[in-house]
Amino acid sequence: MGIGWMILIFFGGLLVFFFLLGKLTWGTGADLVDWDPSGRQQAKMDLEAQDSADLLEITNRRRRAAGLQELGEHDVIHEIARKRRGDKPGAAPQKPADLRDDPDW
């Protein structure tokens, strides 16, 4: 068996390997390199924003049924920032009052 056959078998095996790798990988090549020319990323962001709004609406519906005050988007953001800081529930809000100045946010 000559060196030419070994090279041919090696490159053939390499070609089969990459072919199978491409077939067994999820998504497309564009997904692998995170390339999005068609605006799918913006569509995903829009769907996530709609999901967040729906979840807030469901939460407020339950809070209304329980006789509690409704939450706004700003209230949820403040609650997340409070949890990140490690404050106790119901504790007085710490400075800064504006989240844009909050180093934890």
Side-chain angles (χ1 to χ4, degrees), residues 15-93:
L15 183 67
V16 169
F17 171 76
F18 281 117
F19 177 75
L20 290 175
L21 184 66
K23 284 295 183 186
L24 299 176
T25 311
W26 57 267
T28 65
D31 292 331
L32 292 176
V33 295
D34 206 19
W35 181 53
D36 189 22
S38 64
R40 288 181 297 168
Q41 189 67 28
Q42 183 62 37
K44 286 179 186 177
M45 289 173 42
D46 293 342
L47 284 175
E48 286 182 15
Q50 184 61 42
D51 285 346
S52 296
D54 290 345
L55 287 172
L56 184 59
E57 178 58 36
I58 291 169
T59 301
N60 282 333
R61 190 178 313 151
R62 289 182 180 173
R63 290 179 68 85
R64 279 192 302 269
L68 299 172
Q69 181 181 3
E70 290 187 20
L71 295 176
E73 208 173 309
H74 210 289
D75 299 324
V76 173
I77 292 172
H78 278 293
E79 181 67 17
I80 291 170
R82 182 194 60 77
K83 286 182 179 180
R84 284 186 176 181
R85 284 192 304 267
D87 296 344
K88 294 182 181 177

